[in-house]
Amino acid sequence: MKFGIRQRIIYSFLLLTTASLSFLGLYLLGFFYEQNLDSKTTHLVTNAKIVETALEDTIVMSERKNTLEEEIKKISGRTNLRITILDAGGNVVTDTWGDAESLDNHADRDEIREIPQQDYATAIRYSATTRQNMLYAAVPVYHAGKLTAIVRTATTLTPIETAYQQTRAFILSAILFTMCLTLLIGIWLTRLYTKPIAAMTTAARKIAGGAWDTRIHIRTNDELGMLAHTINQLTANLEEKLTQIDAEAKKLALILENMDNAVLLLDSYGNVSTANLTAKEMFHLTPDLLGKHSISVIGNSILTETAQEVLSARQSKSINLKLKLNHAQKTFQIFFAPIINHEGVTTGVLSVFHDISVLQEVYDRQVEFVANASHELATPLTAIRGFSETLLDGALENADLRKKFVEIIYTESKRMSRLIHDLLQLAKLDTKEYRKQVKLEQIDISEVFEAVQAKLTPQLAEKDLQWRTSLPDEKNYVQANYDWLVQVMVNLVENAIKYTPPQGKISVSCRKTSEKIFISVKDSGSGIAPQDLPFIFDRFYRADRARARSAGGSGIGLSLVRFIIEMFGGEITAESQLGLGTTFTFYLPVK
Ligand code: ADP
């Protein structure tokens, strides 16, 4: 059975008062009873001695029995005591409350038995004669140094017993009354003191339940007041701390939600426990997939395997992973970190997905570019080396072969230097610093057309190609760099010359809208197959390898053209029909 603080206080009060009062009562009861008994005994002994002294002669002389009887009756009547005279053998000579003849020998009575050894003797006994508890006192009567008789006085104990019972009843009722009073005072006092405790308990329960704004309103200067004040302070501090933690958590959640990187939290079994918005969108995570194994989320077991490694090693780790998402190949660098709680136990793994697809593509392109460039350089170099070796091996002697081989060596070296020139230009344009240096100015398109024509007239004439320019009447200015714009036009027209058979037509034209100037280079050449058209602006791409190679192409020209046009803020497109010709059109901003 559980006792509350109130019951405990009340029961303690009750126990204390009842025990102390009972102890005191018992002591007083005993004390007063003994006191009464003592005085009664003294009274009896004194009276017995008085009777013995006063009536000694009468007692001794047996012939004066009647006088003795009269005397002791008189004394008995006055003192209200029972007086008995016994002979030395314990036989009753006379008794004031009874008939001596009917009384048996009293030698075995306690007070009589002890007389020969003592000055007096007493006893308490139930008297069959008086039917009461009686107190007896006996004194010896000596004559000529010999015990000749015994005087015994007796009185009823009823008054003492009545007094004892009355006192006991009084003490009991006093105890009962005090108990009731203690109970009432206890209830009042405990209510007074436990009320604030109950209020504090209720408030503490509310606080524990999350109602942090709860305060205890106890304005006393005692310990309870102090406690309430301290709890209030504690709650205020906790509320402040929790608000801070809450704000921090919200901030972190916000960062996590709005992060560009996908974040997945894996538990120790490899199940996805939490995912941020990017992860949900990226992996099409529906709520029912949360809590599922990472394989069902990203379709790859490497995540779980790495998470297990991180968990056992308790060290972060990064891996690269290629995934197909939304039909696109993506490369991720995934960072794994173990989540260790305050007890030092690893509870899960945090995985952050960095989309490095662009970087990977750049890297792949670089590798591809180096391989392509090396290949493009290796081809003419092999030819030069081969033909020079043949010449050295004796072909120098043969005049026809010598000329032919040297011509090949010359062409191949020209191709090489062109390629290196193109590559250098590309490298130059690739640097941000250089692009910033390139000065943009107002350029008259007709001047560019003239410069290109002047530069390429020998090549046009060589193939007997028809050249036509078409320009609006007024001057047309574009925002560009003269040298690079000429380079664009030269590349496009050179291509047109390269891929157009003799007697073909090449035309350059210009058309204007309010914001843009469109420039086209059209030829009546071999054209480009539709499957090649999307790739012709890629580096090292050649539509018809054999033809392009024989034409001296390296596959860089168009990529350079697109690069330059985009640098000026324009765009280039190509249209072509196999066998009929190709048209390249690009626009440049007017301002
Ligand atoms: P190349 O140096 O090989 O000409 P380009 O980058 O200038 O390299 O051109 C890429 C490819 O596009 C060429 O190899 C060729 O197949 C095709 N091409 C470019 N211009 C024309 C054109 N006017 N007519 C037909 N094909 C062309």
Side-chain angles (χ1 to χ4, degrees):
M1 186 173 162
K2 266 192 177 171
F3 287 122
I5 191 162
R6 286 180 63 187
Q7 284 91 328
R8 264 184 272 166
I9 292 174
I10 293 169
Y11 292 147
S12 304
F13 272 15
L14 274 178
L15 196 74
L16 205 71
T17 45
T18 316
S20 49
L21 276 179
S22 306
F23 177 74
L24 189 73
L26 277 176
Y27 174 76
L28 285 178
L29 209 58
F31 178 77
F32 286 127
Y33 181 77
E34 286 299 320
Q35 212 51 11
N36 276 344
L37 206 63
D38 275 0
S39 75
K40 251 311 184 251
T41 309
T42 315
H43 178 67
L44 279 183
V45 171
T46 311
N47 277 305
K49 281 188 177 169
I50 290 169
V51 170
E52 181 256 335
T53 314
L55 300 174
E56 190 187 341
D57 296 342
T58 322
I59 293 164
V60 172
M61 280 177 259
S62 54
E63 62 277 11
R64 292 180 69 181
K65 193 182 165 200
N66 286 343
T67 322
L68 180 67
E69 241 178 61
E70 269 172 34
E71 287 297 327
I72 59 167
K73 272 198 178 134
K74 216 191 286 167
I75 296 167
S76 172
R78 296 243 175 103
T79 57
N80 206 21
L81 296 175
R82 177 184 175 187
I83 301 168
T84 316
I85 308 292
L86 301 108
D87 64 14
N91 298 313
V92 178
V93 178
T94 178
D95 185 87
T96 51
W97 287 8
D99 183 14
E101 269 89 60
S102 63
L103 293 170
D104 53 356
N105 185 289
H106 280 22
D108 61 338
R109 304 291 200 274
D110 290 342
E111 70 280 8
I112 306 299
R113 217 175 45 234
E114 287 171 16
I115 267 304
Q117 296 97 38
Q118 289 177 20
D119 189 26
Y120 70 91
T122 60
I124 293 170
R125 196 169 52 249
Y126 180 75
S127 161
T129 319
T130 59
R131 301 203 175 148
Q132 286 170 17
N133 279 328
M134 298 287 289
L135 175 66
Y136 299 94
V139 295
V141 181
Y142 289 97
H143 188 70
K146 203 172 141 223
L147 178 71
T148 47
I150 294 162
V151 176
R152 187 182 78 168
T153 47
T155 186
T156 173
L157 278 178
T158 308
I160 295 181
E161 281 169 356
T162 311
Y164 178 86
Q165 274 157 10
Q166 277 174 350
T167 315
R168 193 177 60 187
F170 176 75
I171 288 173
L172 274 176
S173 33
I175 290 175
L176 219 65
F177 173 73
T178 317
M179 274 171 77
C180 291
L181 204 66
T182 309
L183 201 70
L184 289 176
I185 293 173
I187 289 171
W188 175 71
L189 265 181
T190 50
R191 186 165 289 170
L192 195 72
Y193 286 108
T194 54
K195 209 170 145 191
I197 295 177
M200 276 192 265
T201 312
T202 315
R205 273 211 194 102
K206 276 192 201 165
I207 293 164
W212 295 101
D213 53 346
T214 311
R215 294 289 178 271
I216 303 164
H217 302 287
I218 295 172
R219 306 248 176 273
T220 52
N221 282 329
D222 56 8
E223 289 86 343
L224 285 175
M226 290 264 289
L227 183 65
H229 180 67
T230 314
I231 291 177
N232 283 345
Q233 257 184 349
L234 198 78
T235 317
N237 287 349
L238 267 172
E239 190 184 3
E240 199 184 310
K241 284 267 174 317
L242 275 168
T243 315
Q244 277 174 7
I245 291 170
D246 199 41
E248 282 298 314
K250 276 195 182 126
K251 213 157 63 185
L252 279 177
L254 209 68
I255 293 169
L256 200 70
E257 275 307 289
N258 295 294
M259 250 169 93
D260 254 0
N261 299 328
V263 178
L264 291 182
L265 264 168
L266 305 175
D267 65 15
S268 43
Y269 303 104
N271 299 325
V272 178
S273 53
T274 313
N276 73 343
L277 200 68
T278 315
K280 283 176 191 159
E281 283 171 4
M282 197 178 274
F283 303 119
H284 303 292
L285 259 173
T286 46
D288 59 298
L289 274 175
L290 277 181
K292 291 267 164 62
H293 199 270
S294 66
I295 291 184
S296 39
V297 175
I298 66 155
N300 199 314
S301 68
I302 185 102
L303 214 62
T304 316
E305 284 159 23
T306 319
Q308 291 297 347
E309 267 177 54
V310 168
L311 272 176
S312 53
R314 294 161 74 91
Q315 266 179 355
S316 50
K317 194 181 174 178
S318 280
I319 59 160
N320 282 5
L321 179 67
K322 281 195 162 85
L323 285 175
K324 200 155 189 181
L325 291 177
N326 302 333
H327 310 291
Q329 187 74 25
K330 292 265 178 193
T331 310
F332 291 102
Q333 185 182 50
I334 312 171
F335 173 76
F336 292 87
I339 302 166
I340 301 170
N341 71 7
H342 61 282
E343 284 165 349
V345 179
T346 41
T347 53
V349 175
L350 172 84
S351 58
V352 185
F353 290 66
H354 299 274
D355 187 351
I356 55 161
S357 309
V358 177
L359 273 176
Q360 186 68 35
E361 206 186 310
V362 169
Y363 175 75
D364 290 347
R365 278 231 201 129
Q366 269 176 359
V367 171
E368 193 189 30
F369 179 79
V370 171
N372 281 332
S374 314
H375 177 74
E376 290 301 327
L377 285 169
T379 319
L381 210 58
T382 314
I384 292 167
R385 198 178 146 188
F387 285 108
S388 358
E389 273 174 6
T390 320
L391 282 172
L392 287 172
D393 285 349
L396 268 175
E397 311 305 324
N398 183 325
D400 285 348
L401 280 178
R402 188 172 58 208
K403 185 163 186 285
K404 198 177 161 198
F405 286 1
V406 170
E407 268 173 8
I408 294 173
I409 290 172
Y410 175 68
T411 315
E412 288 301 319
S413 61
K414 251 182 29 186
R415 184 212 294 272
M416 257 181 84
S417 68
R418 206 168 40 238
L419 178 65
I420 289 169
H421 173 260
D422 283 356
L423 284 175
L424 284 173
Q425 276 193 322
L426 207 59
K428 210 154 105 183
L429 284 172
D430 240 349
T431 58
K432 247 189 195 161
E433 284 73 28
Y434 178 80
R435 286 206 301 272
K436 266 190 206 159
Q437 276 175 29
V438 173
K439 272 203 187 123
L440 298 185
E441 53 208 342
Q442 294 288 306
I443 294 160
D444 182 0
I445 292 293
S446 58
E447 277 179 31
V448 177
F449 281 12
E450 279 162 24
V452 172
Q453 190 184 358
K455 198 170 180 191
L456 298 177
T457 304
Q459 291 176 45
L460 287 165
E462 201 181 310
K463 282 182 101 176
D464 195 16
L465 295 167
Q466 237 182 70
W467 171 260
R468 234 172 53 148
T469 54
S470 139
L471 277 161
D473 293 337
E474 78 273 27
K475 293 254 180 210
N476 296 288
Y477 292 97
V478 286
Q479 185 80 359
N481 177 281
Y482 181 79
D483 291 341
W484 286 116
L485 189 55
V486 170
Q487 174 81 59
V488 165
M489 288 303 290
V490 166
N491 278 13
L492 290 175
V493 178
E494 263 187 342
N495 273 354
I497 297 171
K498 262 192 274 177
Y499 303 109
T500 306
Q503 281 101 46
K505 285 183 205 159
I506 296 173
S507 60
V508 289
S509 59
C510 175
R511 173 167 66 81
K512 194 181 169 186
T513 66
S514 59
E515 286 169 5
K516 295 167 182 171
I517 283 192
F518 288 86
I519 298 165
S520 300
V521 178
K522 190 177 174 187
D523 65 53
S524 59
S526 56
I528 304 162
Q531 68 269 23
D532 291 319
L533 208 56
F535 306 107
I536 51 165
F537 294 102
D538 291 353
R539 288 172 191 185
F540 300 107
Y541 190 85
R542 284 181 296 216
D544 184 339
R545 297 215 146 240
R547 190 200 300 242
R549 182 163 285 282
S550 68
S554 62
I556 299 257
L558 281 182
S559 66
L560 203 63
V561 164
R562 187 171 64 174
F563 209 126
I564 297 166
I565 289 170
E566 283 174 1
M567 183 171 76
F568 296 153
E571 211 179 323
I572 182 162
T573 51
E575 286 168 62
S576 186
Q577 267 187 302
L578 265 181
L580 290 178
T582 311
T583 310
F584 286 93
T585 308
F586 65 91
Y587 70 77
L588 291 172
V590 173
K591 272 247 160 158

